């Protein structure tokens, strides 16, 4: 390990003393995020995640190939692989520009993943980018470019350090069956504190921190150091919900940030990668914002630093959509319900402005008029409805087509008639969601609230059933409601968001605000996702998504 400079050591010593005096109980989660900064973060809405490290040269899962690996593998991984890492084509300014075009307001970069390899010139370990052919401080380049683009700067940092475990004779793993010996644990804590001190002291104001792994004292120490040095930094993972590769089933009032990959892997995967379509990524972004969350969408640069072509293509498709519709996801809040079937909503309450995302409209020919009914919103005298990006004055090359957006409040809801007029691609096809902007409107109902209860397996006369349960917590008139459940086979941790298709049961009787449905088990040893569903005449309301395994 490198020797620390005297000034660095003295500063560190003082900080460690301060941290020791304010150490919270290890079973508590330290959260010193300032409320005003959290609101600032929530308004950002959309960010870019960058997973990048020296093992991208192999195209393997970042860091995790070390767990369970042989000594020979670990030795070559740690000592040999960094010698060929040279991301000379990493263009931080180009990446930041592309992120901004895509509507992203912040970037989070992996300063250190679980392997322990540092992407900055650190004094704490030789296992860092300065000891590669590249030699430069990639974190410094990223920070400068991101700030210059007017984007918020975020650091991903893993308190877990597989290289430290290996150097100290411990098995490389994420979960230990017995506590790490105190002498080694103290060194472990000190390493993380020193590295966090460097990151907080070397690069100016850091806006966002994402801690991954090392729950308990490791991550708590890191948060203490960060907040002592930079009180305005917003900690996401480690202080708020950060669902990974999934979305919550309901709107969440507290701050949260979903993080997901375009394909199946965080870091670069050169072979057999299965990418989500640009349309699917936009649908996920819309759902995230409709449910009150931020989305952190990942890219994994190639070993030379370039963005893989497919990932860049996805970002540019998102950029085109954002250029037209960005105001509908920027600084918005959830509406009274996230969606009515395939129409999703965001809301700007101060402006009384509702945005309606028209999803699942495949093959909408340019110049064709379609009709929609929104039942959860009610117009006022000064209301207007427009299609974002369109003037509603013409359809190019179609002079006989009326491009006007018509709207009328009727007893059963707000009726809207609009045309897809704008030409986005040469072939006139544009299957991505169109967005309606509805001004000066108000809610048309107080929606019920439904809870998905834990399901159970019931055995009866040689057969087995999944017994779903739901509870209506809040409602105006139970007689107006019907209830059922939706379910689907669980696709897996990585694959869950590739589809949003569900199967639906028949209606279940509502008794004292509760309802139950028994579904015969057709296939054993299958994990299902399920959720309760209550249908109001003006909206369908879902409960949280849960899972159960058949036996």
């Amino acid at each position: 390990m490198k020797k620390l400079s005297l000034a660095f050591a003295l500063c560190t010593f003082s900080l460690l003393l301060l941290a020791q005096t304010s150490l919270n109980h290890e079973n508590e989660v330290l959260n010193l995020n300032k409320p005003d900064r959290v609101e600032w973060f929530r308004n950002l809405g959309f960010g870019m995640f960058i997973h990048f490290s020296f093992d991208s040269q192999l195209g393997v899962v970042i860091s995790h190939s070390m767990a369970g690996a042989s000594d020979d593998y670990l030795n070559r991984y740690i000592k040999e692989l960094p010698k060929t890492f040279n991301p000379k084509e990493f263009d931080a300014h180009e990446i930041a520009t592309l992120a901004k075009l895509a509507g992203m307001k912040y970037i989070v970069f992996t300063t250190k993943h679980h392997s322990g390899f540092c992407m900055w010139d650190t004094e704490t370990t030789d296992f860092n980018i300065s000891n590669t052919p590249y030699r430069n401080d990639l974190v410094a380049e990223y920070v400068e470019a991101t700030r210059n683009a007017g984007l918020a700067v975020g650091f991903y940092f893993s308190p877990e350090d597989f290289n430290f475990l290996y150097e100290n004779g411990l098995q490389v793993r994420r979960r230990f069956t017995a506590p790490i010996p105190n002498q080694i644990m103290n060194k472990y804590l000190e390493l993380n504190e020193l590295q966090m001190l460097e990151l907080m002291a070397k690069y100016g104001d850091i806006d966002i921190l994402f801690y991954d792994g090392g729950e308990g004292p490791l991550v708590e120490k890191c948060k203490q150091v960060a907040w002592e040095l930079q009180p305005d930094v917003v900690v996401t993972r480690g202080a708020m919900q950060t669902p990974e590769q999934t979305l919550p089933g309901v709107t969440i009032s507290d701050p949260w940030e979903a993080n997901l990959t375009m394909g199946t892997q965080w870091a670069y995967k050169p072979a057999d990668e299965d990418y989500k379509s640009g349309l699917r990524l936009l649908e996920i972004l819309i759902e995230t914002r409709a449910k009150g969350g931020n989305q952190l969408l990942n890219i994994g640069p190639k070993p030379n630093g370039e963005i893989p072509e497919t990932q860049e293509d996805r970002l540019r498709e998102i950029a085109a959509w954002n250029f037209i519709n960005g105001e509908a996801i920027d600084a918005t809040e959830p509406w009274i319900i996230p969606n009515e079937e395939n129409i999703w909503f965001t809301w700007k309450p101060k402006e009384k402005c509702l945005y309606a995302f028209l999803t699942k409209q495949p093959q909408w020919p340019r110049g064709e008029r379609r009709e929609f009914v929104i039942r959860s919103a009610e117009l006022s005298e000064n209301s207007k409805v427009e299609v974002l990006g369109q003037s509603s004055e013409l359809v190019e090359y179609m002079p006989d087509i009326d491009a006007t957006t018509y709207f009328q409040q009727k007893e059963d809801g707000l009726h809207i008639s609009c045309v897809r007029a704008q030409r986005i691609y040469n072939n006139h096809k544009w299957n991505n969601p169109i967005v309606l902007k509805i001004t000066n409107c108000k809610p048309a109902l107080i929606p019920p609230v439904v809870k998905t209860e834990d399901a159970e397996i019931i055995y009866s006369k040689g057969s087995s059933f999944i017994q779903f349960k739901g509870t209506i917590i809040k409602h105006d008139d139970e007689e107006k409601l019907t209830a059922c459940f939706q379910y689907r086979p669980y696709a897996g941790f990585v694959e869950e968001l590739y589809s949003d298709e569900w199967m639906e049961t028949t209606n279940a009787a509502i008794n004292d605000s509760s309802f139950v449905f028994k579904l015969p088990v057709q296939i054993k040893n299958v994990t299902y996702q399920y959720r309760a569903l209550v249908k109001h005449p003006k909206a369908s309301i879902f409960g949280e998504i849960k899972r159960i395994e058949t036996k």
Side-chain angles (χ1 to χ4, degrees):
M1 182 180 292
K2 293 182 179 180
K3 293 183 179 179
L4 300 177
S5 66
L6 178 60
F8 182 80
L10 289 174
C11 179
T12 301
F13 180 70
S14 300
L15 186 63
L16 292 181
L17 286 178
L18 181 60
Q20 290 292 337
T21 62
S22 61
L23 182 61
N24 66 311
H25 193 280
E26 66 178 42
N27 292 326
E28 297 175 355
V29 174
L30 180 66
N31 186 353
L32 299 181
N33 281 332
K34 293 181 177 179
D36 62 322
R37 291 291 290 167
V38 170
E39 287 307 306
W40 163 85
F41 169 75
R42 297 180 77 169
N43 284 334
L44 298 181
F46 189 24
M48 174 185 283
F49 217 170
I50 303 177
H51 273 72
F52 193 33
S53 194
F54 73 108
D55 51 5
S56 62
Q57 296 175 92
L58 303 178
V60 298
V61 56
I62 188 169
S63 300
H64 292 278
S65 69
M66 296 178 71
S70 66
D71 283 340
D72 173 66
Y73 182 96
L74 291 172
N75 186 61
R76 289 184 291 115
Y77 181 97
I78 293 168
K79 295 181 180 178
E80 298 299 324
L81 198 56
K83 294 179 181 179
T84 51
F85 183 48
N86 189 12
K88 58 185 178 181
E89 302 301 325
F90 184 87
D91 190 330
H93 293 279
E94 181 178 338
I95 291 172
T97 299
L98 182 53
K100 190 170 186 176
L101 279 171
M104 295 163 167
K105 300 296 192 296
Y106 63 105
I107 304 178
V108 177
F109 182 82
T110 45
T111 60
K112 185 190 81 167
H113 206 267
H114 305 319
S115 69
F117 184 82
C118 298
M119 297 291 278
W120 77 97
D121 183 12
T122 177
E123 295 188 42
T124 63
T125 176
D126 291 329
F127 195 45
N128 72 75
I129 198 167
S130 65
N131 293 314
T132 69
Y134 188 67
R135 298 189 181 278
N136 298 324
D137 187 329
L138 208 64
V139 171
E141 295 176 17
Y142 150 73
V143 170
E144 179 185 15
T146 302
R147 283 206 187 105
N148 287 343
L151 304 179
V153 175
F155 285 168
Y156 166 108
F157 181 84
S158 170
E160 291 180 297
D161 193 310
F162 293 164
N163 179 58
F164 173 86
L165 298 177
Y166 184 66
E167 286 182 338
N168 285 273
L170 297 177
Q171 187 180 44
V172 175
R173 60 189 302 167
R174 298 200 68 191
R175 301 290 182 266
F176 285 86
T177 56
I180 295 174
N182 287 338
Q183 183 178 1
I184 297 178
M185 190 63 182
N186 289 336
K187 289 169 58 180
Y188 208 175
L189 290 167
E190 182 181 12
L191 173 66
N192 275 288
E193 287 181 315
L194 295 176
Q195 289 179 343
M196 186 51 50
L197 175 61
E198 282 186 332
L199 289 172
M200 293 294 97
K202 290 180 66 171
Y203 301 105
D205 292 339
I206 305 304
D207 300 297
I208 299 161
L209 284 172
F210 185 110
Y211 292 109
D212 186 18
E215 290 79 4
L218 288 174
V219 72
E220 296 301 287
K221 286 270 192 174
C222 289
K223 289 191 289 184
Q224 287 174 354
V225 173
W227 275 315
E228 290 286 355
L229 282 179
Q230 298 203 27
D232 287 337
V233 71
V234 174
V235 174
T236 57
R237 177 165 292 180
M240 67 177 66
Q241 293 185 59
T242 56
E244 184 173 329
Q245 304 284 33
T246 189
L247 295 180
V250 297
T251 299
I252 298 178
S253 58
D254 292 331
W256 61 276
E257 178 188 51
N259 57 106
L260 70 146
T261 55
M262 292 187 186
T264 62
Q265 188 158 287
W266 291 103
Y268 172 63
K269 185 180 182 184
D272 302 320
E273 182 59 302
D274 181 16
Y275 284 103
K276 302 174 187 72
S277 68
L279 171 59
R280 184 64 190 129
L281 292 172
L282 283 170
E283 289 174 345
I284 296 168
L285 172 61
I286 290 166
E287 182 175 349
T288 301
R289 296 301 287 148
K291 292 178 177 177
N294 287 35
Q295 185 189 114
L296 195 55
L297 180 61
N298 183 72
I299 64 169
K302 296 166 66 174
N304 67 358
E306 292 179 330
I307 303 176
E309 183 177 0
T310 305
Q311 296 181 25
E312 181 178 348
D313 290 345
R314 297 294 187 273
L315 288 174
R316 295 209 180 273
E317 183 177 353
I318 293 171
W321 183 89
N322 171 72
F323 198 79
I324 301 167
N325 303 296
E327 70 173 86
I329 64 168
D330 182 22
T332 58
E333 297 180 12
W335 177 235
I336 57 170
I337 54 174
N339 64 301
E340 296 179 32
E341 302 298 333
N342 295 321
I343 303 177
W344 292 80
F345 303 106
T346 57
W347 170 242
K348 292 184 178 178
K350 290 183 180 179
E351 297 87 346
K352 294 184 179 179
C353 179
L354 180 66
Y355 296 95
F357 301 80
L358 307 179
T359 69
K360 307 298 183 185
Q361 297 291 322
Q363 307 302 321
W364 187 345
R366 199 169 67 88
E368 180 179 280
R369 180 173 294 279
R370 293 190 177 179
E371 313 286 334
F372 303 90
V373 179
I374 295 175
R375 294 178 169 83
S376 63
E378 188 175 302
L379 298 182
S380 67
E381 292 183 3
N382 298 319
S383 294
K384 293 182 180 179
V385 180
E386 60 184 298
V387 178
L388 287 184
Q390 296 183 184
S391 67
S392 294
E393 295 176 358
L394 65 86
V395 180
E396 188 184 25
Y397 304 132
M398 300 179 186
D400 296 331
I401 297 294
D402 178 8
T404 306
T405 297
Y406 296 99
F407 54 95
Q408 183 179 5
Q409 186 74 54
K410 296 185 179 181
E411 186 175 346
D412 65 337
L414 168 57
H415 288 243
I416 299 172
S417 174
C418 60
V419 174
R420 189 179 80 80
Q422 197 169 15
R423 183 182 178 188
I424 306 301
Y425 290 154
N426 256 18
N427 62 1
H428 302 269
K429 295 181 179 179
W430 177 253
N431 294 325
N432 291 325
I434 287 173
V435 183
L436 301 173
K437 182 178 182 180
I438 307 167
T439 55
N440 293 312
C441 69
K442 62 182 180 180
L445 76 154
I446 299 175
V449 177
V450 59
K451 180 182 179 183
T452 306
E453 306 287 0
D454 291 338
E456 58 182 328
I457 304 297
I458 302 295
Y459 299 94
S460 176
K461 298 180 181 180
S463 299
S464 58
F465 302 84
I466 304 174
Q467 181 166 280
F468 298 125
K469 301 177 183 179
T471 304
I472 304 171
I473 299 174
K474 171 184 164 186
H475 62 86
D476 279 347
D477 187 352
E478 190 173 295
E479 293 183 359
K480 294 181 180 179
L481 306 178
T482 58
C484 61
F485 297 88
Q486 290 187 341
Y487 64 98
R488 65 184 179 185
Y490 177 52
F493 174 67
V494 172
E495 296 84 0
E496 181 180 336
L497 290 178
Y498 278 77
S499 172
D500 60 352
E501 300 299 322
W502 292 82
M503 294 174 283
E504 190 167 298
T505 69
T506 56
N507 287 345
I510 302 173
N511 296 309
D512 294 327
S513 297
S514 296
F515 52 101
V516 176
F517 188 91
K518 290 182 179 180
L519 181 73
V521 173
Q522 302 292 339
I523 305 175
K524 296 183 179 180
N525 301 317
V526 173
T527 299
Y528 286 95
Q529 291 180 304
Y530 63 94
R531 60 186 180 182
L533 169 59
V534 168
K535 296 181 180 180
H536 182 277
K538 292 187 175 182
S540 294
I541 312 298
F542 294 98
E544 184 56 276
I545 298 170
K546 295 191 174 186
R547 295 204 299 262
I548 189 171
E549 183 178 356
T550 61
K551 297 179 181 179

